[in-house]
Amino acid sequence: MKIIKALLILLTISMYSCDNNDDAQTDPANPTDGFTHNGTFYETANAYFEVDEDNNPPDQYNFFFIDGRMADGDSSTGAPADANEYIFTLNTSNFVFFNLTVEDNPSLANSAPTAGNTYVGDLYHATINSTPDTVIVENYTGTFESLSTPYFIDGVEYGNPSSDDYTNAQGPGNATPTLTINAINIDGFNPEESTIDVDYVYVNHLGETFTGHYEGTLGVFQD
């Protein structure tokens, strides 16, 4: 419990700090921040971590890996009323979302996600969970649209996705999505310097496997 309470304090600080994601691969010549599907690599140069502050201790944690940037549409200062829960830069194309719940990962009831552990994302179930949050989107088929009043953060416009993309959704019999945290540092003094090193595996409804990796800076915000 102490670890979770400490994390919530750090996140309160982080929510008001800048996003230090730099849209750059650790090694630009040989990029590894992204996922591979059917032999093709899809870059996701930015990572975000969200904690569910509505419950104490939290009952879920979310990790995002994307090729654009994102922000919390519910709490971003000045965001129009039509902003979704998450808003994205209009150039976003590749998107990975891992939803880690306490129900699926009992250890999270006593500790926030920590290095050296593998966690499971929520899984497709025909009647209980037919649209799991854990998902991977590549070459997004829709568009990201401006809000009713165009909304900018640091001179970059954010908007809502025009539609959901179920191309790589999970289906019956899929292997459970897994996310392994090799290292994580939530920096309470300089939250924008928070970092993470992770590997993940995901299987879509066709039985195709996605393997991904991210190592770099980490944007942090609360739900």
Side-chain angles (χ1 to χ4, degrees):
M1 291 293 186
K2 290 182 178 179
I3 294 177
I4 292 178
K5 290 181 179 178
L7 176 62
L8 287 173
I9 293 173
L10 295 181
L11 289 174
T12 300
I13 299 172
S14 302
M15 184 173 61
Y16 299 101
S17 67
C18 62
D19 169 14
N20 194 39
N21 277 295
D22 56 11
D23 296 310
Q25 298 281 343
T26 303
D27 182 355
N30 299 286
T32 58
D33 295 341
F35 59 87
T36 299
H37 171 220
N38 287 338
T40 300
F41 177 79
Y42 298 87
E43 181 179 353
T44 56
N46 295 317
Y48 296 85
F49 174 52
E50 176 191 47
V51 63
D52 176 18
E53 67 166 345
D54 293 333
N55 296 286
N56 189 8
D59 60 5
Q60 64 178 323
Y61 299 87
N62 295 317
F63 286 93
F64 308 83
F65 309 99
I66 69 175
D67 63 344
R69 291 174 181 255
M70 63 180 294
D72 186 343
D74 293 332
S75 63
S76 294
T77 303
D82 62 328
N84 289 342
E85 180 179 2
Y86 309 119
I87 51 178
F88 304 86
T89 52
L90 306 188
N91 63 336
T92 301
S93 179
N94 303 323
F95 177 91
V96 180
F97 177 21
F98 263 79
N99 174 232
L100 309 182
T101 67
V102 172
E103 181 178 4
D104 294 327
N105 302 274
S107 66
L108 293 177
N110 301 309
S111 173
T114 55
N117 291 313
T118 295
Y119 301 94
V120 299
D122 57 339
L123 186 66
Y124 176 92
H125 189 286
T127 57
I128 300 174
N129 194 25
S130 60
T131 57
D133 286 329
T134 298
V135 68
I136 289 183
V137 172
E138 63 187 30
N139 295 331
Y140 176 57
T141 59
T143 58
F144 286 87
E145 301 176 342
S146 298
L147 303 179
S148 56
T149 300
Y151 183 68
F152 297 81
I153 299 176
D154 294 331
V156 180
E157 185 175 5
Y158 287 68
N160 293 329
S162 61
S163 62
D164 291 327
D165 187 337
Y166 296 105
T167 303
N168 289 315
Q170 298 182 55
N174 281 160
T176 303
T178 60
L179 183 145
T180 299
I181 300 179
N182 304 311
I184 184 170
N185 173 44
I186 306 298
D187 192 323
F189 295 100
N190 297 292
E192 69 278 6
E193 298 299 328
S194 298
T195 59
I196 192 170
D197 178 343
V198 297
D199 292 288
Y200 53 89
V201 178
Y202 176 87
V203 179
N204 69 10
H205 64 101
L206 298 175
E208 299 169 341
T209 299
F210 298 67
T211 57
H213 175 79
Y214 177 86
E215 181 177 359
T217 52
L218 181 68
V220 185
F221 58 93
Q222 295 172 298
D223 183 12

